[in-house]
Amino acid sequence: MKTAFSIVLKVIALTIILFICFTVAGGVVGQQGNPQTPEQAGATAVALLAVCFLNTLVLTHIILRSRWAGGRLMATVFFVFYGVMTFMSQIESAVFVTRLPSGMLPRLFLMGALIAAPFSVLAVLILGKRKADTVNTELNARLVMSTSEWAWKLAVIALAYLTLYFTFGYFIAWRNPVVREYYGGIDEGNFLAHMGTVLGSTFWLIPFQILRAMFWAVIALPVIRMMKGQWQETALALGLLFAVLMNAQLLLPNPYMPEAVRITHLIETASSNFIFGLLVGWLLTQRHGFAKIAIARNKGAG
């Protein structure tokens, strides 16, 4: 009970710290938004607090359940936090959100770094992971795979991401007339016709999303490697990381995206990213023949 209460207090403290990081980083890069009434400012503050709380909960779990500690863990948390919250979201903004003011996109990348860097360090320290509690001598066989196994698993990850991206994008987002109006698109009538339009007019979107799938896999690798527990826990952690850190900011009012579009994208991407994270966690944490042989050899050598 005492330990649980201590963790609750630390989560509250880290939520406040992350809120301050967002506020200070926004001020540093000049990202303050449009003038707001007191009521609007209050609603924005509450939404930001909710975003910080959700992000803190997810990151707290992976920090506490990590095999790693100290600077290695701090660097990993920064890599994952910045990679999901800023890099993965803003590379898509660079392609699809054409109404951003000049110079804003680089400021958003910088802002993400100014948020993730101090929070990653403070989170590891406050959660007591400056040093490892015990030395874990058990061989970590996660990600020990043959080249052929890596190849087919990455191919499955790419195919799965394309499937989730386009199906959720069409049936949840594109079927909404507000979303189509925002992007200047039309309803082709059904999914196959929609994909025909995508392949015919924006074929580059396929390799772009395959590249994003590989980026997702790269972000997942250190989490898979460092997490304790069974594969189910790691898969759930990745699902929450991909869903929450990527999409929680869509809870915030956005002057460049109408609320109906923003909420539709929140539902679309949070659900598809959660499923994708579960899939990546399941695929890359399962032991297969090559890993079992490596474990046996190491035990025999010892």
Side-chain angles (χ1 to χ4, degrees):
M1 181 65 70
K2 184 178 179 181
T3 301
F5 182 69
S6 173
I7 292 174
V8 169
L9 290 180
K10 290 176 180 179
V11 167
I12 293 173
L14 286 171
T15 299
I16 296 171
I17 289 171
L18 186 54
F19 183 91
I20 294 171
C21 288
F22 266 98
T23 304
V24 172
V28 169
V29 302
Q31 184 65 21
Q32 296 295 346
N34 296 331
Q36 295 179 319
T37 65
E39 292 77 12
Q40 290 173 328
T44 300
V46 170
L48 179 56
L49 199 60
V51 170
C52 293
F53 176 68
L54 291 172
N55 286 341
T56 298
L57 276 181
V58 174
L59 291 170
T60 294
H61 175 71
I62 70 165
I63 291 171
L64 291 178
R65 294 293 294 159
S66 171
R67 303 168 187 261
W68 301 345
R72 186 183 189 187
L73 181 56
M74 293 173 187
T76 300
V77 174
F78 171 80
F79 175 74
V80 172
F81 192 13
Y82 181 80
V84 177
M85 181 185 71
T86 301
F87 180 76
M88 291 303 296
S89 61
Q90 298 310 331
I91 61 171
E92 196 163 39
S93 296
V95 173
F96 293 109
V97 183
T98 59
R99 307 180 189 186
L100 291 176
S102 177
M104 175 167 287
L105 197 60
R107 293 202 301 271
L108 290 174
F109 277 100
L110 175 60
M111 181 177 173
L114 295 177
I115 293 168
F119 181 80
S120 300
V121 174
L122 292 172
V124 171
L125 295 176
I126 290 173
L127 291 170
K129 295 288 286 187
R130 186 172 64 89
K131 294 182 179 179
D133 298 330
T134 57
V135 177
N136 189 352
T137 58
E138 179 185 356
L139 177 67
N140 185 355
R142 286 184 173 181
L143 304 180
V144 178
M145 291 180 279
S146 64
T147 302
S148 61
E149 189 172 329
W150 271 111
W152 75 256
K153 285 189 175 183
L154 290 176
V156 170
I157 286 172
L159 179 61
Y161 189 70
L162 287 176
T163 302
L164 290 167
Y165 181 87
F166 286 109
T167 54
F168 279 67
Y170 176 75
F171 288 106
I172 296 179
W174 202 246
R175 296 295 296 271
N176 187 332
V178 177
V179 174
R180 292 197 303 272
E181 181 182 357
Y182 177 74
Y183 291 107
I186 61 171
D187 184 3
E188 296 86 351
N190 58 66
F191 178 70
L192 292 179
H194 173 71
M195 288 305 301
T197 300
V198 170
L199 293 173
S201 61
T202 55
F203 182 79
W204 57 267
L205 191 56
I206 304 296
F208 175 68
Q209 296 304 337
I210 291 175
L211 180 63
R212 290 187 77 229
M214 296 300 99
F215 285 152
W216 280 119
V218 169
I219 292 172
L221 295 182
V223 178
I224 292 170
R225 186 70 179 170
M226 76 180 188
M227 285 284 290
K228 301 175 183 177
Q230 301 300 313
W231 72 264
Q232 293 91 336
E233 181 180 355
T234 301
L236 181 59
L238 284 175
L240 291 173
L241 278 170
F242 289 3
V244 175
L245 269 61
M246 174 74 173
N247 303 289
Q249 291 184 85
L250 289 172
L251 293 171
L252 296 170
N254 185 337
Y256 309 106
M257 185 178 289
E259 181 179 1
V261 176
R262 177 167 52 84
I263 298 304
T264 300
H265 279 314
L266 173 62
I267 297 170
E268 169 211 353
T269 54
S271 55
S272 61
N273 280 6
F274 179 72
I275 295 171
F276 180 66
L278 291 178
L279 174 67
V280 171
W282 170 72
L283 264 180
L284 297 183
T285 56
Q286 291 300 284
R287 289 181 177 178
H288 295 273
F290 188 79
K292 292 177 180 179
I293 292 172
I295 293 171
R297 287 177 176 173
N298 275 276
K299 287 183 177 179

